[in-house]
C-alpha cells in the first residue's frame, strides 16, 4: 500500500535535466508545497499562489532564482507563506524583497515566515507587507531535527547536506490517518453533521474501537463509524535530496530522510567516472544515488539534476544507477517538449 498517494499532483517541474524543482499539490486552497526555488517559469502564477510552504535546499542560483516569482504570485494574498532554508535564508530572502519598490495596496497582506536551519537551532523571522517590510526580528528555538514543518495532514523533515555552501535535504511525510470518505458519507444512513468531526478526532486519537457515540438518537461504535464513513490513507514519504556529497557527514541524515521512501528524488549530477569532480563540487554520482536508494530501501528512485555535460547520453546515467538499484527512472521529456520536439 505504500505506493498509494494522497497528494493530487507531484511534478518534477523541469524534468531531470533542468533546475531541480518539485511541486506537490493537494486538492484544497493555499496548500501546495514547493521543493527548491530555482526556475519555476513552467508553473503559472496561479499555481504558485496556491503555495503553503517553500523549501529551499541552498542559495546557488539554480535553486534560488525563482524566489521573485513566488513572492509576486503571493503578494496580494492574505496568508502566511512559509519559507524554509539553510543558514542565511532570512537575510537572503529579505534582500530580495527589499530589491523592489512596492505600492503597498491595502489588499497586499502577505506575510513570509522565513525559517533557517542552522546546527542545533531554527531561526525565524517574519517579513510583513502591511508593515512595509521592516527588517525582521529573529527568534531562535532549539532544534535537534528532523521535524521542520508540521500541518494537520503532513510533515516535512530536514537534514544537512554536504555541499560547497550550507544546504538542506527534505522529506515530505503524509500522516497515516482517517479521513471522512465523501462517497461513503453519501451512501450511508447517517447524515453528515457535527459527529463527523467528533468521530474523526477520536479515531485520530486512537480511542478504543468499542467507544460508542450518540448520533441522531442512536449509538454507534467507533469501529462501525470507521468502516462505514471513513477511509484510511497510508503513509507516504517523498524524499528530495540534491546538491550534496554522500559523505560520512551527510550519509546518516540522508539515509534517515530516505528510509523506505515511496519516492526518492536524488542528485545524480555526475557519472561515477567523474567521481573526482563530484568530490570537488560536492555532488552525488548516479551510482551513489543507486547505492543510497538501495541502503534506504526506497520504492522508487528518480534521478535529478543531470549535468549538461551528459547531454545526448543521459540514459547512461540511468543505466549506471540501475546497475545498483532496479527501480530507477528520470524525466528526460520535459526539456524535449519545451523545445517543441515530440515526446517518445
Ligand atoms: Zn544545483
Ligand atoms: Zn549547488
Amino acid at each position: 500500500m505504500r505506493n498509494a498517494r494522497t497528494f493530487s499532483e507531484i511534478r518534477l517541474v523541469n524534468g531531470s535535466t533542468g533546475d531541480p524543482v518539485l511541486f506537490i499539490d493537494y486538492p484544497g486552497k493555499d496548500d501546495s508545497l514547493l521543493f527548491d526555488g530555482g526556475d519555476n517559469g513552467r508553473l503559472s502564477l496561479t499555481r504558485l499562489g496556491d503555495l503553503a510552504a517553500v523549501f529551499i535546499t541552498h542559495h546557488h542560483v539554480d535553486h534560488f532564482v525563482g524566489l521573485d516569482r513566488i513572492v509576486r504570485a503571493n503578494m496580494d494574498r492574505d496568508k502566511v507563506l512559509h519559507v524554509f532554508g539553510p543558514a542565511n535564508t532570512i537575510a537572503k530572502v529579505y534582500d530580495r524583497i527589499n530589491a523592489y519598490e512596492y505600492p503597498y495596496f491595502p489588499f497586499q497582506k502577505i506575510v513570509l515566515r522565513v525559517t533557517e536551519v542552522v546546527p542545533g537551532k531554527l531561526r525565524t523571522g517574519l517579513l510583513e507587507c502591511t508593515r512595509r517590510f521592516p527588517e525582521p526580528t529573529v527568534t531562535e528555538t532549539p532544534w535537534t531535527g528532523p521535524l521542520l514543518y508540521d500541518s494537520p495532514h503532513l510533515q516535512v523533515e530536514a537534514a544537512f547536506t554536504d555541499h560547497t555552501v550550507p544546504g538542506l535535504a527534505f522529506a515530505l511525510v503524509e500522516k497515516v490517518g482517517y479521513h471522512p470518505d465523501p462517497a461513503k458519507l453519501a451512501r450511508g444512513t447517517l447524515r453528515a453533521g457535527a459527529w463527523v468531526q467528533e468521530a474523526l478526532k477520536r479515531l485520530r486519537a486512537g480511542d478504543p474501537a468499542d467507544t460508542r457515540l450518540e448520533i441522531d438518537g442512536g449509538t454507534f461504535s467507533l469501529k462501525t463509524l470507521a468502516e462505514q464513513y471513513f477511509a484510511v490513507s497510508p503513509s507516504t514519504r517523498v524524499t528530495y535530496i540534491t546538491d550534496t556529497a554522500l559523505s560520512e557527514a551527510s550519509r546518516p541524515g540522508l539515509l534517515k530522510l530516505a528510509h523506505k521512501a515511496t519516492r526518492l528524488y536524488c542528485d545524480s549530477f555526475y557519472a561515477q567516472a567523474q567521481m573526482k569532480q563530484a568530490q570537488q563540487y560536492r555532488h552525488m554520482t548516479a551510482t551513489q544515488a543507486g547505492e543510497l536508494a538501495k541502503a534506504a530501501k526506497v520504492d522508487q528512485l528518480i534521478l535529478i539534476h543531470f549535468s549538461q555535460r551528459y547531454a545526448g547520453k543521459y540514459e547512461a546515467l540511468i543505466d549506471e544507477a540501475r546497475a545498483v538499484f532496479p527501480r530507477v527512472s528520470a524525466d528526460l521529456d520535459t526539456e524535449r517538449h519545451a523545445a517543441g520536439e515530440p515526446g517518445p
Side-chain angles (χ1 to χ4, degrees):
M1 283 296 285
R2 273 201 289 127
N3 274 318
R5 27 180 254 196
T6 55
F7 42 79
S8 52
E9 182 181 355
I10 181 162
R11 181 170 160 197
L12 189 58
V13 177
N14 304 309
S16 297
T17 57
D19 290 0
V21 173
L22 184 66
F23 179 74
I24 299 180
D25 197 12
Y26 292 86
K29 204 172 156 311
D30 291 332
D31 61 359
S32 62
L33 306 174
L34 192 67
F35 291 88
D36 252 339
D39 178 6
N40 51 40
R42 287 189 174 101
L43 290 170
S44 69
L45 292 178
T46 311
R47 302 305 306 273
L48 290 173
D50 187 31
L51 286 173
V54 181
F55 300 87
I56 293 163
T57 58
H58 63 301
H59 306 115
H60 278 150
V61 70
D62 52 329
H63 301 262
F64 198 47
V65 71
L67 183 76
D68 296 334
R69 288 190 81 239
I70 294 168
V71 172
R72 184 179 185 189
N74 288 280
M75 196 53 128
D76 296 352
R77 310 296 296 277
D78 187 358
K79 75 174 185 189
V80 175
L81 175 64
H82 295 263
V83 179
F84 295 90
N88 304 320
T89 297
I90 298 171
K92 286 180 188 292
V93 172
Y94 179 62
D95 284 351
R96 294 274 286 275
I97 294 266
N98 249 347
Y100 297 96
E101 302 289 350
Y102 300 97
Y104 291 110
F105 290 119
F107 53 80
Q108 294 181 321
K109 292 185 172 161
I110 185 67
V111 174
L112 281 96
R113 188 174 192 279
V114 187
T115 300
E116 59 188 40
V117 186
V118 298
K121 58 192 169 188
L122 300 178
R123 307 181 75 246
T124 299
L126 298 182
L127 306 180
E128 297 165 277
C129 190
T130 55
R131 294 183 59 215
R132 305 199 161 204
F133 295 123
E135 194 167 339
T137 310
V138 174
T139 54
E140 295 189 346
T141 49
W143 188 75
T144 49
L147 181 62
L148 186 61
Y149 176 70
D150 197 9
S151 84
H153 303 295
L154 59 89
Q155 295 180 329
V156 174
E157 300 175 359
F160 293 106
T161 54
D162 177 357
H163 196 36
T164 51
V165 292
L168 300 172
F170 303 103
L172 160 69
V173 187
E174 292 180 342
K175 294 178 186 175
V176 186
Y178 289 95
H179 301 275
D181 185 325
K184 288 183 177 176
L185 280 164
R187 283 200 300 271
T189 48
L190 288 173
R191 274 202 292 161
W195 67 269
V196 176
Q197 285 310 316
E198 178 62 22
L200 189 61
K201 202 175 86 187
R202 286 166 178 267
L203 287 167
R204 286 183 176 164
D207 283 10
D210 59 0
T211 306
R212 297 190 80 79
L213 261 68
E214 203 170 314
I215 305 162
D216 293 344
T219 64
F220 301 85
S221 72
L222 262 188
K223 184 172 184 287
T224 305
L225 294 172
E227 284 167 4
Q228 295 184 356
Y229 298 97
F230 294 86
V232 182
S233 66
S235 165
T236 302
R237 174 177 285 265
V238 176
T239 305
Y240 180 85
I241 295 173
T242 194
D243 293 58
T244 184
L246 188 62
S247 65
E248 262 179 53
S250 68
R251 193 182 158 91
L254 299 181
L255 206 49
K256 205 167 155 189
L257 274 193
H259 185 64
K260 293 195 170 170
T262 318
R263 297 174 184 223
L264 166 62
Y265 290 86
C266 192
D267 185 8
S268 311
F269 200 82
Y270 290 107
Q272 192 69 8
Q274 278 73 47
M275 191 63 197
K276 216 176 126 195
Q277 286 92 329
Q279 293 279 12
Q280 184 182 350
Y281 297 108
R282 312 311 282 165
H283 271 285
M284 284 172 65
T285 67
T287 295
Q288 287 180 316
E291 284 167 358
L292 182 66
K294 188 179 172 187
K297 302 186 172 70
V298 309
D299 284 347
Q300 294 290 330
L301 167 64
I302 299 111
L303 304 179
I304 57 172
H305 213 1
F306 291 157
S307 163
Q308 297 203 342
R309 66 188 291 154
Y310 305 108
K313 42 189 178 180
Y314 291 128
E315 272 88 0
L317 293 167
I318 304 172
D319 291 342
E320 187 181 303
R322 197 168 280 149
V324 184
F325 180 81
R327 296 177 299 279
V328 185
S329 63
D331 175 5
L332 303 179
D333 296 336
T334 307
E335 201 101 313
R336 280 204 279 263
H337 289 158
E341 293 173 31

